[in-house]
Amino acid sequence: MECISVFDMLKIGVGPSSSHTLGPWRAAEKFLAEVRAKNMMDNINRVKVDLYGSLSLTGKGHATDLAVMLGLSGADPEYIPVESIDVIISAIKNKNEIFLGNEIIIPFHVETDIVFNRNFLPFHANGLTFTAFTDSEEYTSTFYSIGGGFVVKENEDNQKSESKNAFPFPIDKATELLEYCQKENKKISEIVFENEKSMRSEEEIHNELLRIWDTMLECMYIGCHTEGTLPGGLNVRRRAYDMHKNLIGVLPYEDPHSWLQIIRQTEVKFRQILKWVSCFALSVNEVNASLGRVVTAPTNGSAGVIPAVLMYYMVIENHDANEEHIKQFLMVAGEIGSIFKKGATISAAMGGCQAEIGVSSAMAAGALCEMMGGTPEQVLMAAEIAMEHHLGLTCDPIGGLVQIPCIERNTMGAIKAINAAELALETDAKNAKVPLDKVVATMWETAKDMNSKYKETSEGGLAIGVGLADC
Ligand code: SF4
């Protein structure tokens, strides 16, 4: 039984993709740690990166090549100022050299030192191999980016966290979570909090959850205040800017927090609610598509769903919502995401978009349901409903970019999450026909049956129906 923390499921990083950007970036960092441990660093005169499978097929559009260069440069995706990304990449390309691990400068030719191999490695669709050369030896290491920024090293995929038995309430399945809630007479968020406390102090949990929320809020704020066209060649016009302008009108604010307060004063009939929620989701994914800072939730492609639904709760449902509500929401969302990760996948290369938007929608639905007073049974039911209506959703990004259908799809995931929460709140959970664990298992079976054309390869669906030339 693997212990997955809320902070594993919700990670601060850089867009556009958790599996194709954040994961490879982290893999490069791990590789650097390995060569340092082998005392090779000072003698390295070349580094080569081989990308395989989906990382190769959609790697250009998902900025995998940039991610490995940034990782090899020693940059941290959580803290790097996003405006310095261009500077680092341009320097590598212009000088044909890289400042490896921020320690030594070696030659690096992007065209030949990053190799896009179309074949798939056996363990996972997202494989990448790093090779370091010295005058006398070479060292090779293979990693897999298994979704949501999680990375495993070849032949170590079954390694579990050392803290695996540290959780007082170890959870693999929704049924186990529910049993703990019933036995302890606790909400899901309270059970999750107990587990988190076994890993870090209450103060740390508090600060880190609020740091995640602040990052989400700032991301929505930036997205709603940035106009123009997204990079990548599809000429996708940012829509959050205009939508936000129409919704907010002339009301004054000066920063993300005063903005949030002001939104509470706007008119919110059904149409405006739909537009606000969509606007929040669009804003995050437009920032994500432009290599901005986002919270992986549980992936970057689906990063807009959870902030949009939490913001909906804060500005529309509960004007008194405070830090405690935010923490509660994120803890429930994280736990539901981890149940999907353990029982199925959060990798689009393994399960299509049901693994991204479907899971994020389920996470948001469950979290919202608890905030609105749902019982643990209803929370799990909300998550189940949200996923049930995403089963089979394919991943077919046009041009390999995390833009179409990805950005809009976050709005759909967010709205579905709200609907699922409301349905669950109006239902006696005893009458549920499909338990959450069944839908998790079904999602995994569906993932295995899905043709690889629809699993983040851009070889089917919209990706071939609509070409770059059409855009
Ligand atoms: S289609 Fe869905 S799974 Fe695929 S890249 Fe876009 S958001 Fe991610």
Side-chain angles (χ1 to χ4, degrees):
M1 192 173 290
E2 194 179 359
C3 284
I4 298 178
S5 159
V6 171
F7 301 105
D8 295 321
M9 298 306 300
L10 305 172
K11 297 190 269 278
I12 298 171
V14 170
S17 167
S18 45
S19 56
H20 287 52
T21 315
L22 185 59
W25 192 324
R26 291 294 187 205
E29 291 179 322
K30 284 176 185 281
F31 177 69
L32 284 182
E34 289 179 0
V35 293
R36 281 192 183 106
K38 292 175 74 62
N39 291 323
M40 283 178 73
M41 197 67 167
D42 290 345
N43 301 318
I44 292 174
N45 53 34
R46 187 185 169 208
V47 169
K48 177 171 161 265
V49 188
D50 282 278
L51 306 174
Y52 295 95
S54 177
L55 288 187
S56 169
L57 293 168
T58 59
K60 283 267 185 215
H62 285 48
T64 308
D65 45 352
L66 308 190
V68 293
M69 285 189 263
L70 291 161
L72 289 173
S73 302
D76 184 332
E78 192 171 339
Y79 296 102
I80 183 176
V82 287
E83 54 282 1
S84 69
I85 289 177
D86 261 355
V87 179
I88 297 173
I89 297 298
S90 299
I92 294 170
K93 288 181 175 170
N94 294 338
K95 296 181 183 167
N96 286 324
E97 56 187 32
I98 193 166
F99 194 16
L100 191 67
N102 255 320
E103 286 185 40
I104 53 162
I105 294 174
I106 59 166
F108 191 84
H109 299 273
V110 177
E111 292 75 25
T112 50
D113 289 331
I114 300 179
V115 183
F116 291 80
N117 302 278
R118 291 184 69 85
N119 58 309
F120 284 67
L121 297 183
F123 170 65
H124 192 282
N126 295 332
L128 70 167
T129 298
F130 294 86
T131 308
F133 302 85
T134 68
D135 287 341
S136 56
E137 62 176 326
E138 62 181 64
Y139 174 72
T140 294
S141 192
T142 294
F143 299 88
Y144 296 96
S145 176
I146 59 171
F150 288 84
V151 173
V152 294
K153 186 169 159 62
E154 188 161 59
N155 301 325
E156 289 181 6
D157 50 287
N158 289 325
Q159 255 191 6
K160 303 295 185 199
S161 153
E162 281 178 12
S163 60
K164 98 185 182 71
N165 295 317
F167 276 180
F169 301 109
I171 297 156
D172 246 3
K173 293 178 183 296
T175 41
E176 292 159 349
L177 173 58
L178 190 56
E179 271 171 36
Y180 294 133
C181 291
Q182 289 164 341
K183 212 162 110 201
E184 303 290 323
N185 195 23
K186 286 186 189 297
K187 294 176 187 171
I188 288 177
S189 57
E190 291 169 332
I191 294 289
V192 179
F193 188 49
E194 292 304 315
N195 279 345
E196 291 297 332
K197 280 198 294 182
S198 67
M199 293 177 136
R200 38 184 72 82
S201 70
E202 288 189 28
E203 188 187 2
E204 199 184 338
I205 296 167
H206 173 91
N207 291 341
E208 285 304 296
L209 286 173
L210 293 183
R211 192 163 72 94
I212 285 170
W213 166 243
D214 280 341
T215 307
M216 288 178 170
L217 181 61
E218 192 169 319
C219 182
M220 287 185 274
Y221 188 78
I222 291 170
C224 285
H225 295 86
T226 310
E227 57 182 330
T229 302
L230 293 171
L234 287 181
N235 298 317
V236 172
R237 190 172 155 72
R238 286 173 177 263
R239 278 182 288 176
Y241 179 86
D242 287 331
M243 203 179 227
H244 172 261
K245 209 162 121 191
N246 290 335
L247 286 163
I248 201 86
V250 293
L251 293 171
Y253 53 90
E254 53 197 28
D255 56 29
H257 290 278
S258 58
W259 176 60
L260 187 150
Q261 296 293 346
I262 282 293
I263 296 172
R264 288 175 170 162
Q265 296 175 22
T266 60
E267 184 183 41
V268 280
K269 291 187 183 152
F270 183 66
R271 283 188 69 201
Q272 282 89 6
I273 294 174
L274 275 181
K275 286 184 197 180
W276 268 122
V277 173
S278 298
C279 180
F280 298 141
L282 289 178
S283 65
V284 171
N285 289 83
E286 288 173 358
V287 170
N288 181 60
S290 51
L291 275 75
R293 170 139 294 125
V294 297
V295 176
T296 301
T299 66
N300 280 25
S302 61
V305 174
I306 287 171
V309 176
L310 178 47
M311 191 69 163
Y312 159 80
Y313 178 73
M314 306 271 300
V315 298
I316 291 166
E317 273 306 323
N318 181 3
H319 287 188
D320 297 321
N322 57 33
E323 291 179 345
E324 291 309 308
H325 295 98
I326 293 167
K327 285 157 51 185
Q328 192 181 342
F329 187 103
L330 295 177
M331 282 192 285
V332 177
E335 187 58 43
I336 290 169
S338 81
I339 289 171
F340 278 99
K341 174 162 171 28
K342 288 171 198 161
T345 179
I346 56 168
S347 164
M350 295 298 274
C353 200
Q354 57 176 353
E356 291 206 13
I357 298 291
V359 173
S360 63
S361 188
M363 292 165 74
L368 181 64
C369 188
E370 183 175 303
M371 307 308 298
M372 309 276 274
T375 63
E377 290 87 346
Q378 287 172 317
V379 170
L380 300 180
M381 189 184 200
E384 184 285 316
I385 293 171
M387 173 51 80
E388 188 178 317
H389 303 289
H390 281 99
L391 287 175
L393 190 65
T394 58
C395 171
D396 51 0
I398 297 174
L401 293 154
V402 193
Q403 297 184 11
I404 309 173
C406 320
I407 297 172
E408 249 175 32
R409 195 165 280 177
N410 278 264
T411 71
M412 302 297 161
I415 298 294
K416 250 189 226 186
I418 296 169
N419 196 15
E422 291 297 344
L423 284 173
L425 286 165
E426 290 299 322
T427 306
D428 183 342
K430 281 200 228 72
N431 297 327
K433 304 288 185 207
V434 187
L436 179 55
D437 289 330
K438 279 266 161 63
V439 96
V440 173
T442 304
M443 183 201 141
W444 183 227
E445 290 307 315
T446 308
K448 286 188 282 184
D449 287 342
M450 205 180 259
N451 190 304
S452 76
K453 285 194 295 189
Y454 303 115
K455 294 198 271 196
E456 212 167 9
T457 56
S458 285
E459 290 183 329
L462 285 175
I464 58 164
V466 184
L468 279 175
D470 300 311
C471 302

